[in-house]
Amino acid sequence: MVQVNLNKPQLKETTDSNQNVNMNNIVYDTKQLNLWYGNHHALKNIDLAIKENEVTAIIGPSGCGKSTYIKTLNRMVELVPSVKTSGQIIYRDRNIFDSDYNVEELRTRVGMVFQKPNPFPKSIFDNIAYGPRIHGIKNKKTLDEIVEKSLRGAAIWDEVKDRLHENAYGLSGGQQQRICIARALAIEPDVILMDEPTSALDPISTLKVEELVQELKENYSIIIVTHNMQQAARISDKTAFFLNGEVIEFDQTDTIFSTPSDKRTEDYISGRFG
């Protein structure tokens, strides 16, 4: 299959001497991030460095700031009225809060998969081709290649290859979620954010998505919010435990689940609260 290049514009490299150009394969470096919804202090002094080609899980009880945090990574959180932030999020050596930062480019590079499958009310083909078309790709052969490549990447090609022009709403919930993942892959992102992507799925569909996540990390950096601690333990390389808007602990997943350094982490993992 032909390698497809969307010819996305490159983000400018920083020349700020205070920022480390070689960040040891760190894709996101969050520094002293604070976020408020009005007067509510939702994120407090978040410091978190996320490496590329790893699965990073964000765990914690409801309302602890997990989803808010990942929505800052592509600045979707700013769609909520009265949001205010301070601190930095360095993505590929640039602070995404810089006044001249192109948010559209950021959201092209950082794909998002939501809790509830949300395919467009269009055909399977048109769902996947939507992003490339927005980027100016009109050639049918090229679009055909992108659609097949993306569906294969989301491990759903064999299930839908004879149904490409049927409405995506006719698929099962698990299939719809993999269509949404394929839609994210179609614009060739660098990072994929997943906000509880399996919470609305049955166990078999959940397993398929988890297997897919493991495959995707070969080519993408994945950050996944999950309430399911067993899921975090199964699929992630590193885990961050959030509580009341703070990062309590961030370490290798095996360490977090076997020998956490903070008693609050141990209490949450053992089911004492949350």
Side-chain angles (χ1 to χ4, degrees), residues 173-185:
Q175 289 174 320
Q176 287 185 21
Q177 192 65 302
R178 282 183 286 148
I179 290 295
C180 293
I181 293 171
R183 189 175 66 198
L185 298 181

Side-chain angles (χ1 to χ4, degrees), residues 48-49 54-57 236-241 247-257 259-261 265:
L48 209 56
E54 289 189 343
V55 178
T56 302
S236 67
D237 300 289
K238 292 192 177 70
T239 296
F241 171 53
V247 177
I248 303 303
E249 192 165 352
F250 179 50
D251 210 329
Q252 296 289 334
T253 294
D254 289 346
T255 301
I256 291 286
F257 283 92
T259 54
S261 61
T265 310

Side-chain angles (χ1 to χ4, degrees), residues 129-144:
Y130 181 84
R133 283 172 173 154
I134 291 292
H135 285 86
I137 295 176
K138 306 297 182 186
N139 182 273
K140 186 177 186 304
K141 184 174 183 292
T142 303
L143 288 172
D144 286 345

Side-chain angles (χ1 to χ4, degrees), residues 1 20 57 82 94 109 113 151 156 173 198 204 244 266:
M1 186 178 300
N20 187 359
S82 75
R94 281 203 68 201
R109 290 170 171 243
V113 178
L151 290 169
I156 195 173
T198 63
I204 293 175
N244 298 325
E266 180 181 356

Side-chain angles (χ1 to χ4, degrees), residues 84-256:
K84 181 177 69 173
T85 61
S86 68
Q88 294 184 319
I89 297 179
I90 308 299
Y91 167 65
R92 298 296 185 193
D93 303 329
R94 281 203 68 201
N95 181 10
I96 68 172
F97 295 129
D98 283 351
S99 59
D100 63 343
Y101 199 97
N102 188 317
V103 179
E104 290 182 2
E105 287 181 23
L106 177 67
R107 291 175 187 161
T108 297
R109 290 170 171 243
V110 182
M112 184 110 188
V113 178
F114 296 92
Q115 179 175 359
K116 184 179 178 181
N118 63 339
F120 301 140
K122 301 173 180 287
S123 70
I124 295 167
F125 184 95
D126 287 341
N127 264 270
I128 311 307
Y130 181 84
R133 283 172 173 154
I134 291 292
H135 285 86
I137 295 176
K138 306 297 182 186
N139 182 273
K140 186 177 186 304
K141 184 174 183 292
T142 303
L143 288 172
D144 286 345
E145 291 170 350
I146 293 173
V147 168
E148 180 175 346
K149 179 183 176 183
S150 302
L151 290 169
R152 286 188 184 277
I156 195 173
W157 169 254
D158 289 338
E159 296 171 48
V160 302
K161 62 183 178 182
D162 298 321
R163 305 172 59 185
L164 294 180
H165 299 291
E166 295 179 17
N167 196 302
Y169 282 179
L171 300 174
S172 70
Q175 289 174 320
Q176 287 185 21
Q177 192 65 302
R178 282 183 286 148
I179 290 295
C180 293
I181 293 171
R183 189 175 66 198
L185 298 181
I187 57 171
E188 298 182 344
D190 180 35
V191 178
I192 302 174
L193 308 176
M194 296 184 167
D195 191 1
E196 298 193 56
T198 63
S199 64
L201 304 183
D202 62 83
I204 293 175
S205 297
T206 294
L207 178 61
K208 287 183 178 180
V209 171
E210 289 182 0
E211 290 173 345
L212 175 58
V213 167
Q214 288 293 290
E215 294 172 10
L216 290 175
K217 78 172 184 179
E218 296 298 319
N219 297 304
Y220 306 93
S221 307
I222 298 173
I223 305 167
I224 181 169
V225 165
T226 180
H227 270 112
N228 186 328
M229 286 182 286
Q230 290 76 23
Q231 180 175 78
R234 284 192 298 265
I235 69 172
S236 67
D237 300 289
K238 292 192 177 70
T239 296
F241 171 53
F242 276 53
L243 182 65
N244 298 325
E246 299 180 77
V247 177
I248 303 303
E249 192 165 352
F250 179 50
D251 210 329
Q252 296 289 334
T253 294
D254 289 346
T255 301
I256 291 286

